[in-house]
């Protein structure tokens, strides 16, 4: 069972995070202090760390910098009330793998944590992605469904790659926007839905089991039909 | 604001000119009075001399009078006083006056005349004062004295006036212009300092010198006022930001609980109701996010991410992002990029700004309409990006208001949105020092962003 370290000084938020990660099959441990958090993160082999930006004892940026300096590459999901893009940039430059601003919905946190966990697995380096009968060749840049080639626009290809890399995992609209377009602000959800709709029409043809599912209130999930 | 470039427009220069004009008028009036009084005095003296001379000649023996007149004329080589004796028909008997001047008064008083002299070298009448007497035997005695002395005095006073005016007015005006340059320079400095304040940066203060004069007093008062306005605006902004900030946490928790309930009651009527509630909360949270975003941008602390900006790449990204939406609505979405000058900015923010503008254009354009994204270099060498649509357009009266927070025009009330998108665009554009305008007509709106290029140092 993957292990998560939650470094968060606010007890209510920490409890929410622990509950959500546990509900997604992770063993979550909570530390409320920055110094203790760094000690635990250095000592034990965690699979993922959620790290508050502002902590008593030691700042979140300093913790992640210290971890990276010691060549500990555990994925770090930074959480902060500071929403300014500069703050995101600072957090990511210091070594954070992803950034979530408070207040956040726990399912968004779980989705991001799972994406980070998945990125660690060797499959992330594959050049050929496969989900059910859907195949994506990242080198030759082509896509097949049931052996039939799909005609995808560059954006649709990147979108499908992101969904397939995180197959079986809910990804939010915000995550899609950040990873596929590379921008960090709220674009409104409507346009992402349109892009997903078009991709869905291309890969889920008539008579084929639908692979892209909408998860109400959260986002999308690409997974083999049950 | 009109720049204070013309030195003659400054208040000091105007005061100097008005003062100079009044001074000149006063000098002319003063010297005019002096001249008039002096002329009157001299005329009176001359008149008394003429009366005395004619009285003397009248008293001499009538038989010897021609000789007396001739002698008087002969000895008057300086032309001090001319004498003439004429017979009853006006013919000259003796003396050096050619004929009886017409202007002479018959009542024996002295008058101004124009007299012709016997001296042939003078063919023009001489300005003079003259007197006449008719003798008992019908002859006429005339005595005149030229007005050279009186006229000369007038000329001297006039020359004095001209010299006086030249020596006071010319250095006065030049000195005044030099003095006026100091205040004009300071006013220009204040004017330049006001530029960022006009664009919303209330942290700037006007320059105050050590002199402590009226301009400094005014600048200090404006600075105090600016400080107070900044404090009050900060308080108002702080209140709205705090409301948005503080309400987000309980709303997020409520959303989480409703979301979990909705997951439990999925595929039931209750689940649908709960999903609608979650969507409503998402809308509110989205508005708070946008509101805080505007505040964050208006704080103007975000120039750290400025870099060489490939605005063409940003616009192509925006086009790529929105093209499917336009296509779904049957709208023609055209992009045209000309060669653009080098710009500096934050690509993330510029994407956000143009995404808002294009998103709006698509939203308000009816199905089957057209949206155009055109980037060109204008006559001034600035990059100009136009986002034109075939929607209902924005009425003239609303074109300023649309950039205000939460403003929603009559045409837009029925569409989803919160009226913060253009406030975000406006804040981003101002942060970059670019300008934003809205035009078009009832056949569609045109939003234009003008971006001055990077000036190589």
């Amino acid at each position: 069972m993957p292990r998560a370290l939650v470094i968060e000084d606010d007890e209510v938020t920490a409890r929410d995070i622990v509950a959500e990660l546990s509900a997604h099959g992770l063993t979550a441990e909570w530390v409320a202090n920055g110094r203790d958090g760094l000690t635990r993160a250095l000592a034990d082999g965690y699979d993922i760390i959620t790290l508050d930006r502002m902590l008593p004892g030691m700042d979140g940026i300093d913790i992640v910098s210290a971890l990276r300096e010691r060549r500990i590459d555990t994925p770090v999901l930074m959480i902060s009330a500071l929403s300014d893009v500069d703050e995101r940039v600072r957090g990511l430059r210091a070594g954070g793998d992803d950034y979530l601003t408070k207040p956040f919905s726990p399912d968004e946190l779980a989705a991001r944590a799972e994406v980070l966990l998945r990125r660690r697995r060797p499959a992330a380096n594959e050049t050929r992605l496969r989900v059910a009968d859907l195949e994506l060749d990242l080198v030759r840049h082509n896509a097949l469904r049931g052996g039939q080639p799909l005609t995808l626009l560059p954006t649709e290809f990147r979108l499908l790659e992101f969904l397939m890399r995180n197959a079986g995992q809910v990804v939010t609209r915000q995550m899609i926007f950040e990873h596929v377009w590379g921008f960090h602000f709220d674009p409104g959800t409507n346009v992402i839905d349109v892009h997903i709709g078009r991709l869905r029409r291309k890969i889920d043809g008539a008579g084929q089991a639908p692979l892209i599912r909408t998860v109400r209130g959260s986002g999308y999930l690409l997974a083999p039909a049950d | 604001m009109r720049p204070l470039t013309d030195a003659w427009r400054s208040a000091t220069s105007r005061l100097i000119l008005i003062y100079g004009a009044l001074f000149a008028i006063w000098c002319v009036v003063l010297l005019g009075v002096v001249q008039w009084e002096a002329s009157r005095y001299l005329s009176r003296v001359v008149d008394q001399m003429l009366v005395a001379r004619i009285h003397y000649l009248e008293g001499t023996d009538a038989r010897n009078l021609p000789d007396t007149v001739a002698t008087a004329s002969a000895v008057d080589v300086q032309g001090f006083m001319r004498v003439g004796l004429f017979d009853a028909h006006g013919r000259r008997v003796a003396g050096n006056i050619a004929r009886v001047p017409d202007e002479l008064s018959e009542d024996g008083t002295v008058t101004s005349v124009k007299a012709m002299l016997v001296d042939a070298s003078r063919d023009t009448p001489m300005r003079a004062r003259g007197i006449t007497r008719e003798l008992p035997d019908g002859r006429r005695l005339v005595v005149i004295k030229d007005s050279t002395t009186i006229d000369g005095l007038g000329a001297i006073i006039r020359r004095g006036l001209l010299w006086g005016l030249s020596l006071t007015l010319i250095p006065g005006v030049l000195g005044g212009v030099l003095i006026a340059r100091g205040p004009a320079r300071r006013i220009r400095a204040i004017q330049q300092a006001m530029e960022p304040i006009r664009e919303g940066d209330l942290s700037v203060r006007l320059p105050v010198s050590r002199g402590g004069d009226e301009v400094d007093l005014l600048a200090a008062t404006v600075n105090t006022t600016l400080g107070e306005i900044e404090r009050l605006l900060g308080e108002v902004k702080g209140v709205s930001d705090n409301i948005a900030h503080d309400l987000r946490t309980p709303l997020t928790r409520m959303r989480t609980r409703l979301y979990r309930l909705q997951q439990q009651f999925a595929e039931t009527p209750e689940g649908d109701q709960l999903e609608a509630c979650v969507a409503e909360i998402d809308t509110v949270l989205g508005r708070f996010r946008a509101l805080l975003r505007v505040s964050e941008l208006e704080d103007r602390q975000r120039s750290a991410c400025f870099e060489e900006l490939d605005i063409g790449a940003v616009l192509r990204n925006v086009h790529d992002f929105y093209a499917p939406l336009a296509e779904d609505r049957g709208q023609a979405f055209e992009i045209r990029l000309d060669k653009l000058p080098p710009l500096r900015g934050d690509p993330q923010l510029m994407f956000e700004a143009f995404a808002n503008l294009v998103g709006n254009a698509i939203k308000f354009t009816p199905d089957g309409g057209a949206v155009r994204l055109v980037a060109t270099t204008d006559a001034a060498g600035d990059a100009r990006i136009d986002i034109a649509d075939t929607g209902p357009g924005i009425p003239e009266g609303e074109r300023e208001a649309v950039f205000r927070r939460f403003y929603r025009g009559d045409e837009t009330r029925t569409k989803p949105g919160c009226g913060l998108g253009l406030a975000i665009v406006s804040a981003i554009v101002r942060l970059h020092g670019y300008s934003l305008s809205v035009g078009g007509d009832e056949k569609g709106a045109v939003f234009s962003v003008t971006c001055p290029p990077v000036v190589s140092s």
Side-chain angles (χ1 to χ4, degrees):
Chain A
M1 192 179 280
R3 294 175 67 214
L5 177 63
V6 178
I7 310 176
E8 168 65 59
D9 61 331
D10 177 53
E11 194 180 337
V12 178
T13 310
R15 226 183 275 155
D16 276 351
I17 297 173
V18 169
E20 189 67 26
L21 293 178
S22 303
H24 282 76
L26 280 85
T27 307
E29 295 168 26
W30 170 43
V31 179
N33 176 290
R35 268 180 217 293
D36 296 346
L38 178 61
T39 311
R40 291 277 285 278
L42 289 169
D44 296 304
Y46 291 98
D47 296 291
I48 186 167
I49 297 168
T50 72
L51 177 62
D52 191 17
R53 169 78 172 72
M54 288 185 288
L55 287 164
M58 194 172 186
D59 186 61
I61 297 269
D62 295 336
I63 294 175
V64 75
S65 302
L67 286 175
R68 298 307 182 230
E69 274 171 24
R70 288 167 175 77
R71 300 192 180 284
I72 291 175
D73 62 351
T74 313
V76 173
L77 171 57
M78 302 202 69
I79 299 170
S80 173
L82 305 172
S83 62
D84 192 304
V85 180
D86 280 348
E87 282 301 326
R88 286 169 176 266
V89 171
R90 282 187 67 200
L92 297 174
R93 280 191 183 151
D97 295 277
D98 199 359
Y99 202 102
L100 188 60
T101 49
K102 284 181 183 176
F104 54 86
S105 60
D107 48 317
E108 170 101 21
L109 169 104
R112 287 180 186 267
E114 293 218 6
V115 165
L116 290 180
L117 280 171
R118 188 173 291 273
R119 204 186 288 171
R120 290 198 90 194
R121 293 170 196 160
N125 296 325
E126 283 181 4
T127 58
R128 210 173 170 82
L129 304 174
R130 179 186 284 273
V131 176
D133 59 347
L134 179 65
E135 284 179 66
L136 201 65
D137 189 327
L138 301 175
V139 178
R140 295 166 69 185
H141 227 261
N142 61 17
L144 298 170
R145 176 85 202 260
Q148 296 298 311
L150 303 172
T151 310
L152 299 179
L153 295 171
T155 310
E156 292 164 347
F157 192 91
R158 290 202 306 275
L159 180 54
L160 184 58
E161 181 189 342
F162 180 65
L163 291 174
M164 288 182 77
R165 282 196 186 281
N166 298 290
Q169 168 61 46
V170 174
V171 285
T172 66
R173 294 172 178 86
Q174 184 69 36
M175 289 163 70
I176 291 172
F177 182 63
E178 286 175 11
H179 284 90
V180 177
W181 280 273
F183 294 106
H184 296 270
F185 64 90
D186 180 10
T189 55
N190 171 289
V191 185
I192 301 290
D193 293 344
V194 173
H195 280 277
I196 291 283
R198 291 165 73 84
L199 181 64
R200 183 181 265 153
R201 283 196 293 278
K202 286 190 178 178
I203 68 166
D204 294 341
Q208 287 174 314
L211 288 177
I212 298 178
R213 283 183 245 164
T214 305
V215 180
R216 284 181 168 186
S218 280
Y220 294 96
L221 170 73
L222 187 139
D226 298 328
Chain B
M1 199 189 294
R2 193 175 58 177
L4 194 73
T5 49
D6 189 351
W8 297 110
R9 274 212 297 260
S10 82
T12 318
S13 300
R14 283 183 190 176
L15 279 176
I16 287 168
L17 281 178
I18 292 168
Y19 181 75
L22 285 174
F23 178 75
I25 291 167
W26 171 241
C27 277
V28 169
V29 169
L30 180 70
L31 289 175
V33 169
V34 169
Q35 186 186 6
W36 183 68
E37 282 291 338
S39 300
R40 208 162 64 114
Y41 173 74
L42 284 177
S43 295
R44 219 165 36 233
V45 171
V46 166
D47 292 358
Q48 283 168 359
M49 287 164 68
L50 286 169
V51 169
R53 175 57 64 94
I54 205 160
H55 191 66
Y56 164 76
L57 289 173
E58 264 184 316
T60 59
D61 186 350
R63 282 168 303 175
N64 295 332
L65 190 57
D67 291 338
T68 308
V69 168
T71 307
S73 299
V75 297
D76 184 32
V77 288
Q78 301 292 327
F80 180 73
M81 199 171 284
R82 320 273 178 171
V83 185
L85 183 65
F86 299 88
D87 65 13
H89 303 289
R91 282 190 298 265
R92 188 169 68 88
V93 176
N96 49 11
I97 299 170
R99 57 176 178 269
V100 180
D102 297 335
E103 301 91 337
L104 281 173
S105 170
E106 292 298 327
D107 62 1
T109 56
V110 180
T111 52
S112 289
V113 297
K114 284 185 178 167
M116 289 301 290
L117 300 181
V118 172
D119 183 356
S121 66
R122 295 176 180 243
D123 55 355
T124 50
M126 183 183 70
R127 275 170 46 78
R129 300 282 291 170
I131 189 167
T132 186
R133 285 281 192 280
E134 193 176 349
L135 301 175
D137 58 4
R139 287 181 300 174
R140 184 172 287 275
L141 191 60
V142 176
V143 180
I144 64 167
K145 172 156 179 49
D146 68 34
S147 304
T148 317
T149 314
I150 301 167
D151 291 348
L153 180 74
I156 288 168
I157 291 174
R158 278 195 298 278
R159 273 201 300 277
L161 174 68
L162 283 176
W163 276 108
L165 285 177
S166 307
L167 291 175
T168 51
L169 277 185
I170 295 172
V173 169
L174 285 176
V177 170
L178 289 175
I179 292 167
R181 277 168 64 181
R185 206 168 25 235
R186 288 169 61 198
I187 296 289
R188 267 198 295 278
I190 288 176
Q191 204 176 18
Q192 279 169 1
M194 289 294 285
E195 288 289 320
I197 299 170
R198 212 160 38 128
E199 286 169 15
D201 184 1
L202 289 174
S203 63
V204 175
R205 293 291 176 270
L206 304 185
V208 181
S209 73
R210 289 181 187 171
D213 61 6
E214 299 89 335
V215 178
D216 291 325
L217 193 67
L218 188 64
T221 309
V222 171
N223 283 345
T224 312
T225 311
L226 281 172
E228 192 60 15
I229 292 171
E230 188 183 18
R231 187 183 67 75
L232 290 171
L233 277 179
E235 279 179 13
V236 171
K237 187 169 163 295
V239 168
S240 64
D241 287 0
N242 286 341
I243 291 171
H245 195 271
D246 291 350
L247 288 183
R248 283 192 312 165
T249 303
L251 277 170
T252 306
R253 291 197 173 131
M254 193 196 295
R255 184 199 184 278
T256 303
R257 287 178 189 171
L258 287 171
Y259 176 69
R260 285 189 178 137
L261 279 172
Q262 188 260 328
Q263 296 287 311
Q264 282 177 27
F265 292 98
E267 312 297 333
T268 64
E270 290 80 6
D272 291 346
Q273 289 291 323
L274 287 165
E275 191 186 345
C277 292
V278 169
E280 290 289 347
I281 293 177
D282 281 344
T283 305
V284 177
L285 284 170
R287 286 181 191 184
F288 282 159
R289 260 199 306 277
L291 190 61
L292 290 169
R293 184 90 179 115
V294 177
S295 290
E296 179 187 307
L297 290 164
E298 286 179 346
D299 281 343
R300 295 172 161 261
Q301 302 296 319
R302 285 229 49 227
S303 55
C305 294
F306 278 23
E307 56 188 58
E308 197 176 313
L309 179 64
D310 183 355
I311 196 81
V314 171
L315 296 175
R316 275 191 294 273
N317 266 330
V318 172
H319 185 264
D320 172 69
F321 189 58
Y322 276 103
L325 185 61
E327 198 182 316
D328 276 9
R329 299 198 49 199
Q331 296 168 348
F333 184 19
E334 179 197 344
I335 180 169
R336 202 190 89 207
L337 302 173
D338 288 351
K339 188 171 165 46
L340 297 170
L343 301 178
R344 207 174 150 67
D346 183 331
Q348 295 255 354
L349 291 180
M350 290 320 290
F351 182 95
E352 187 173 354
F354 287 115
N356 262 306
L357 291 172
V358 169
N360 272 351
I362 291 173
K363 184 161 74 175
F364 294 114
T365 298
D367 291 359
V371 175
R372 293 175 70 228
L373 182 56
V374 180
T376 52
T377 303
D378 66 12
D382 298 341
R384 181 190 160 117
I385 297 111
D386 291 332
I387 298 98
D389 62 48
T390 55
I394 297 173
E396 292 256 1
E398 291 184 19
R399 289 182 182 175
E400 289 278 326
V402 290
F403 298 111
R404 289 206 300 261
R405 296 180 198 191
F406 297 116
Y407 182 83
R408 306 211 67 199
D410 291 337
E411 291 282 345
T412 62
R413 276 183 225 287
T414 52
K415 303 269 184 182
C418 59
L420 283 166
L422 286 178
I424 289 177
V425 175
S426 176
I428 292 174
V429 165
R430 262 188 286 138
L431 181 65
H432 281 76
Y434 298 161
S435 62
L436 173 65
S437 62
V438 56
D441 49 30
E442 67 283 353
K443 291 176 189 160
V446 183
F447 282 86
S448 302
V449 180
T450 307
C451 317
V454 179
V455 181
S456 54
S457 53

